[in-house]
Amino acid sequence: MDQSPVHEISEAECLKLLAAFEFGRIAFRVGDVLEVFPVNYHAEGRSITFRTAPGTKLAGVLLADDVVFEIDHIGVREAWSVIGHGTARHLESSDEIAAAERLPIHPLIPTVKREYVRIDLARVSGRRFHRQPEPDASAEAAVDSSD
């Protein structure tokens, strides 16, 4: 059995984890500014849908060439992280908006959010970390950088 504390998560399992949860973070760069925002979302297949209000998050995510979406979990015995890269688009057609309104997206705070954004994921990856006691640093050989 592989004793490594870090294991890659298959793309299929990454997509299942995305679909099983509802809170994550989006990150994007606009010019020289890197932004990270928490979002409540709904995942289906390779699509992430979230609601927002007009403002920095909406404008920035739509201007960005690449959007990163991340979820993670830290438990007693293991932790994991799933990251997806893709592009975002504003849902504008009445059919898309009506479908998005039926999704179970539950905001953490009671604010009006009428704008819907969909991130189409081009790439998804994940890693699982088996939590173990930290190794004894004194047992590790020191590296001599003068060699």
Side-chain angles (χ1 to χ4, degrees), residues 116-139:
Y116 288 90
V117 175
R118 179 154 302 142
I119 302 170
D120 297 312
L121 299 173
R123 200 167 82 235
V124 181
S125 63
R127 294 171 34 156
R128 186 177 311 284
F129 310 95
H130 297 285
R131 302 188 71 195
Q132 303 168 359
E134 184 175 357
D136 180 8
S138 64

Side-chain angles (χ1 to χ4, degrees), residues 14-36:
C14 286
L15 294 174
K16 285 181 185 177
L17 288 168
L18 286 170
F21 293 88
E22 61 184 35
F23 182 79
R25 289 166 208 79
I26 56 169
F28 52 86
R29 180 180 302 280
V30 176
D32 292 335
V33 179
L34 183 61
E35 299 280 2
V36 179

Side-chain angles (χ1 to χ4, degrees), residues 31-100:
D32 292 335
V33 179
L34 183 61
E35 299 280 2
V36 179
F37 291 95
V39 294
N40 294 86
Y41 72 94
H42 176 77
E44 189 170 331
R46 300 183 76 84
S47 295
I48 303 289
T49 303
F50 67 92
R51 320 189 307 195
T52 190
T56 304
K57 184 187 329 174
L58 178 60
V61 76
L62 297 175
L63 286 172
D65 292 329
D66 187 33
V67 176
V68 177
F69 184 82
E70 186 264 345
I71 64 169
D72 52 32
H73 170 76
I74 299 173
V76 174
R77 290 187 292 259
E78 75 173 21
W80 53 260
S81 179
V82 172
I83 297 174
H85 293 260
T87 55
R89 63 186 180 88
H90 192 214
L91 300 185
E92 295 179 354
S93 79
S94 57
D95 288 344
E96 284 184 316
I97 293 169

